[in-house]
Amino acid sequence: MTFGAVTTDAHGAAATPSLPGESPLRPEPDATAGAPRATQLFGAAAPEPAQRKTSLYGGASGAEQPLPRVLLPVDESPIGSPKASSDKQPAYLRGPVSLPPELLAASRDSAQDAPGAKPANRASPIVWGLLVVGGVLLAGVLAYPAWRDRDANMPTAAVTAKDEAAALLRRDDEVTRATAIDSLKRLTVAHPKYVEARAELLVALSLRLGELQAEVEGLRLRAEQLQREMGTLEPDSLELVARAEELSEATRLGGPLKADLTRLRDEVDALAATLEPAPEVEPTPALVARVKARALHAAVRASPDALALAERLRNVESAPKVWSTLARAEYVLSSGSPPTSVEQSKKDLEALREADGTLLRAHVLGARMALRQEDKASARSLLDVVHALNPNHEVARKLLKQLEAHGSKP
């Protein structure tokens, strides 16, 4: 055999070349296996097949001495078996490998838990659902302030009318207060959901109610004093006649005042009921106005929760705590509080007058407390200030007249 030539088997078939490390593929046997591969002439005897031998370099050649044949290893595994198809075939010729379900699940979980791994496709609907829910919640949060304040955004004219009426209440006289009440009533009719306007109306009516109660109470106390004095006088004396005429006048005035007081109480209580069901969240100005009106109404009516509302008002209103101080003073005068409470309220009113000297209501309440404590000099001083700042103040004028004539308690 020549060096580099293709080796053949015993039948002369050439072996198929193979890559290193792979078993040579055996050719399929020919249908004419065993027959000599030669061209036979027609009618001639078949020649014997030629014997191809490989001579060793330097060895003796002879036909008598056969040379040993080199046998290559042949795979004994049958063709088509799993071992032959998987172990002996090249990697690029092998088919897909199917793993058990346990290995597939384990490999999928490890891939999801790996850092930087992308989420599986099955989680996409959950993610989209969370995004949609988050978008709806965000839209609701952004739209809530506008929905909450939908009734707070009032026209400029309405806000101006409310502020003007509130400024009139500082003058504290009956005529100016009546003008403010009429303006606020028209405003609440035009804007029924304007909480601040309804609150200012309740404040104005409560102030009027407090004065009316004080006037009726003053007439009652004066009538009791007159009756005591008449019991000590001579039957036909001039003093007895004068006291009887004064008692008759107090009784005559007290009748209509009591009727007005009953009517005003009903009106104020009905208006206060509309402000009690407060929403959980509302703008700060509306909240302060609502608490202020409720605290003042409870103080004038001597309600059990008056002090609690006054304390709540003190926490939400700004300095110098005007309306919480006035509410406490109204409660002290309406409820018949003990002397210690009266003294503390007098000090609070004094501090308020120093902070706001033009607030006439603080002067009037201070004068009434001074009269209750029989401090006529302090009461006269405070009432003189009120009369100087507002000559039309009817309560101050009546208290001064009462102080000069009798000095009875308000």
Side-chain angles (χ1 to χ4, degrees):
M1 176 177 176
T2 307
F3 181 78
V6 179
T7 61
T8 60
D9 56 5
H11 303 286
T16 303
S18 62
L19 297 175
E22 296 183 356
S23 301
L25 300 179
R26 293 174 60 89
E28 296 181 359
D30 197 352
T32 60
R37 293 180 179 272
T39 304
Q40 183 179 359
L41 295 178
F42 182 77
E48 294 181 2
Q51 299 292 333
R52 293 185 180 182
K53 300 179 180 179
T54 302
S55 298
L56 297 175
Y57 180 74
S61 61
E64 312 81 29
Q65 185 178 1
L67 295 176
R69 299 178 62 184
V70 179
L71 300 178
L72 298 177
V74 180
D75 190 6
E76 298 298 335
S77 300
I79 299 177
S81 64
K83 182 178 180 182
S85 61
S86 62
D87 297 341
K88 301 304 180 181
Q89 288 185 358
Y92 60 86
L93 294 179
R94 296 175 187 173
V97 179
S98 299
L99 296 177
E102 294 81 3
L103 295 179
L104 289 175
S107 62
R108 186 180 303 110
D109 295 340
S110 62
Q112 292 178 357
D113 296 338
K118 296 182 179 179
N121 293 334
R122 60 185 175 85
S124 297
I126 299 178
V127 174
W128 280 108
L130 292 176
L131 290 176
V132 171
V133 173
V136 172
L137 292 177
L138 180 60
V141 170
L142 294 178
Y144 177 72
W147 178 85
R148 179 194 63 189
D149 300 339
R150 64 191 185 279
D151 297 330
N153 298 326
M154 289 295 163
T156 305
V159 177
T160 303
K162 186 266 299 180
D163 293 340
E164 291 176 352
L168 290 177
L169 294 179
R170 292 180 60 89
R171 295 185 59 83
D172 201 45
D173 64 274
E174 185 176 353
V175 176
T176 307
R177 187 185 304 114
T179 303
I181 290 175
D182 292 341
S183 176
L184 290 171
K185 285 183 176 180
R186 291 193 301 268
L187 190 59
T188 54
V189 171
H191 303 281
K193 296 182 178 181
Y194 194 8
V195 176
E196 296 179 47
R198 283 189 291 133
E200 290 296 337
L201 178 59
L202 180 58
V203 168
L205 292 176
S206 297
L207 293 176
R208 173 57 184 157
L209 180 62
E211 290 182 353
L212 195 57
Q213 288 180 159
E215 190 173 358
V216 172
E217 181 66 13
L219 290 176
R220 185 186 68 81
L221 293 175
R222 181 57 182 165
E224 293 178 356
Q225 183 181 5
L226 290 173
Q227 289 177 354
R228 290 194 301 269
E229 292 177 356
M230 290 173 61
T232 60
L233 297 176
E234 295 295 332
D236 296 331
S237 63
L238 296 178
E239 289 83 359
L240 180 60
V241 174
R243 297 294 189 276
E245 292 179 354
E246 187 176 355
L247 179 60
S248 176
E249 181 69 13
T251 304
R252 184 183 65 81
L253 294 176
L257 287 178
K258 290 180 181 179
D260 293 342
L261 180 61
T262 302
R263 178 189 57 78
L264 186 58
R265 280 177 178 172
D266 295 340
E267 182 181 0
V268 170
D269 292 344
L271 182 58
T274 64
L275 292 174
E276 288 184 2
E280 295 182 359
V281 179
E282 64 180 342
T284 302
L287 172 64
V288 175
R290 185 190 300 271
V291 176
K292 178 180 72 173
R294 292 186 58 196
L296 196 61
H297 166 260
V300 171
R301 298 286 284 127
S303 300
D305 59 343
L307 293 178
L309 287 173
E311 185 63 25
R312 184 184 177 190
L313 177 58
R314 180 178 292 272
N315 294 331
V316 298
E317 72 173 340
S318 58
K321 312 296 183 181
V322 173
W323 291 102
S324 59
T325 304
L326 295 181
R328 287 176 179 272
E330 291 282 359
Y331 176 77
V332 167
L333 291 172
S334 300
S335 61
S337 299
T340 55
S341 299
V342 176
E343 185 64 29
Q344 181 61 43
S345 184
K346 279 185 61 179
K347 293 180 180 179
D348 294 340
L349 289 173
E350 184 178 357
L352 180 59
R353 290 192 297 269
E354 292 178 357
D356 188 354
T358 61
L359 186 62
L360 300 185
R361 192 71 176 188
H363 292 76
V364 174
L365 294 177
R368 289 176 57 189
M369 288 186 181
L371 289 175
R372 176 167 294 188
Q373 293 179 330
E374 300 293 340
D375 188 0
K376 299 180 181 179
S378 298
R380 184 182 299 276
S381 176
L382 291 172
L383 293 174
D384 288 339
V385 172
V386 175
H387 186 71
L389 293 175
N390 184 7
N392 297 324
H393 201 290
E394 291 294 328
V395 174
R397 184 181 60 79
K398 290 180 180 179
L399 289 177
L400 283 172
K401 182 179 179 180
Q402 183 181 4
L403 184 60
E404 294 175 355
H406 311 288
S408 62
K409 299 180 181 180

